[in-house]
Amino acid sequence: MGGEEYSFERLLQFLENSISTFPDVRTGKNTVYEVRDAVLSAFSVFFMQCPSFLSHQRAMAGRIGKNNASSIFGVHKIPTDTHIRNLLDPISPELLFPVFDEIFAFLFEQGVISELVTCDRLLLIALDGTWFFSSEQIMCPACQSKRHKNGTTTYYHSAITPVIVKPGVDQAFSLPPEFITADDGSSKQDCENKAAKRWMETVGLRYLSEHYTVVLLGDDLYAKQPVCEHTGEYGYSFIYVCKSSSHRYLYDWLAEFSPKELHQKTHRHWTGKKHQLYRYRYRNGVPLRDTDDALWVNWMELTIMDTDGTVTRRFSFVTDLTLTDANIVNMIAYGRSRWKIENEHNNTLKTKGYHLEHNFGHGREHLSNFLMTLNLLAFLFHTVAHRFDRRYLLVRKTLGRRQTFFQDVQALTKYFFYDSWSHLLIAMINGLELEDPGG
Ligand SMILES: [Zn+2]
């Protein structure tokens, strides 16, 4: 595990480093409060998953002259929610991206990235679009909008939230988001495809390496010729979902092959309750679409069946990686690993994100996107702690559900003062009568 160099404060220092590059937007009466305090205060709310964390800490400061926002997060003076909103609204979320970079460099240094590279030297990055704000009343100029037939309009923000994943690894490591921007005349799908292409041309390039191939994972709307071509042009490989409903030509082409010509491999699989059949099929070199300049891709499919042949699930993908009998099982597992984030990562982001925006409002410029990026960072801090902090791991494991952990942290920090994040974890370990494993 090698946690010598990890500390919560070290991660927080990465955030402080980026804050030192922020423009100072204080005007008039706001000069009492620093931008730094606003960022760290908002971050603390996301990290603690507690909308009332700051009001509890203001109350504690009034009671005993000290508080956990200061001791744990380094906030000098807690601004009001209104000040936080006004101070953060003008700040572009891109200014937070160096924090992701520093954490990536740290993970690289510590050998975590090489552990995330698969045995065939692939680093899997899943790209998924997610809505993180939506309203019929509240909006800002950065909002996307969707008109409904009944005359109402939904305003929303969405982003692609790339994460590094690996089958068998529970944590997904967040990379900087790519915001999907409003674009008149483009469909929702075009907007997401454009955002994915922008990411490939800019932020994504930082993760290319001579040590491994970056494989992008995406859903069916990425399995379009322009996106696939773009993926290859910029040096990535891809595994994208390929449904028969949206790829008729490719599936008609596959239907021409005899069963023998589609490579097939079947396994028996024990779920713990019953036996299932896993039928893998693949074919290298099929056209992605019905044009003379069609891109030739490799197609693969997993069909999960009961032993009587009833199909329960089916997954199919196209990729530019060559498929063989030796790698087909892994390749399908790689393709499927992006569902992990849809379920865990984006759900957490959505439910908590929606919830927490109520604290600070929506803003008129960058606020919504800035807070979402801070929320992703808070999520990443927890992911990294999971990997390095033995105390954190022990408490999380002992308490079981994540909700229990956050509820306990919220209650403890409301009533008691702790010198640091480690002291809080030590107090929990003592309370649970566990042996302290050290930091
Ligand atoms: Zn907006």
Side-chain angles (χ1 to χ4, degrees), residues 145-165:
S145 62
K146 189 177 169 176
R147 272 189 175 285
H148 303 287
K149 284 188 186 127
N150 66 6
T152 61
T153 303
T154 301
Y155 300 99
Y156 66 98
H157 285 232
S158 61
I160 292 171
T161 50
V163 285
I164 303 174
V165 291

Side-chain angles (χ1 to χ4, degrees), residues 92-147:
S92 161
E94 277 85 24
L95 292 171
L96 289 169
F97 289 5
V99 189
F100 292 90
D101 292 343
E102 288 204 72
I103 292 179
F104 185 86
F106 171 74
L107 293 173
F108 194 91
E109 237 171 67
Q110 297 286 315
V112 176
I113 299 302
S114 56
E115 282 171 38
L116 292 170
V117 171
T118 65
C119 56
D120 27 16
R121 309 189 71 72
L122 308 175
L123 184 71
L124 311 174
I125 299 182
L127 304 180
D128 257 306
T130 183
W131 286 33
F132 57 92
F133 165 81
S134 108
S135 170
E136 298 202 343
Q137 286 94 35
I138 300 165
M139 64 156 309
C140 76
C143 270
Q144 291 172 266
S145 62
K146 189 177 169 176
R147 272 189 175 285

Side-chain angles (χ1 to χ4, degrees), residues 364-384:
R364 282 183 300 242
E365 217 176 331
H366 297 296
L367 188 68
S368 183
N369 291 353
F370 188 88
L371 292 178
M372 182 270 198
T373 309
L374 261 191
N375 195 5
L376 274 183
L377 275 176
F379 200 82
L380 180 57
F381 274 42
H382 282 286
T383 310
V384 176

Side-chain angles (χ1 to χ4, degrees), residues 316-328:
S316 39
F317 306 93
V318 286
T319 175
D320 60 331
L321 299 162
T322 304
L323 302 168
T324 65
D325 282 351
N327 72 12
I328 183 67

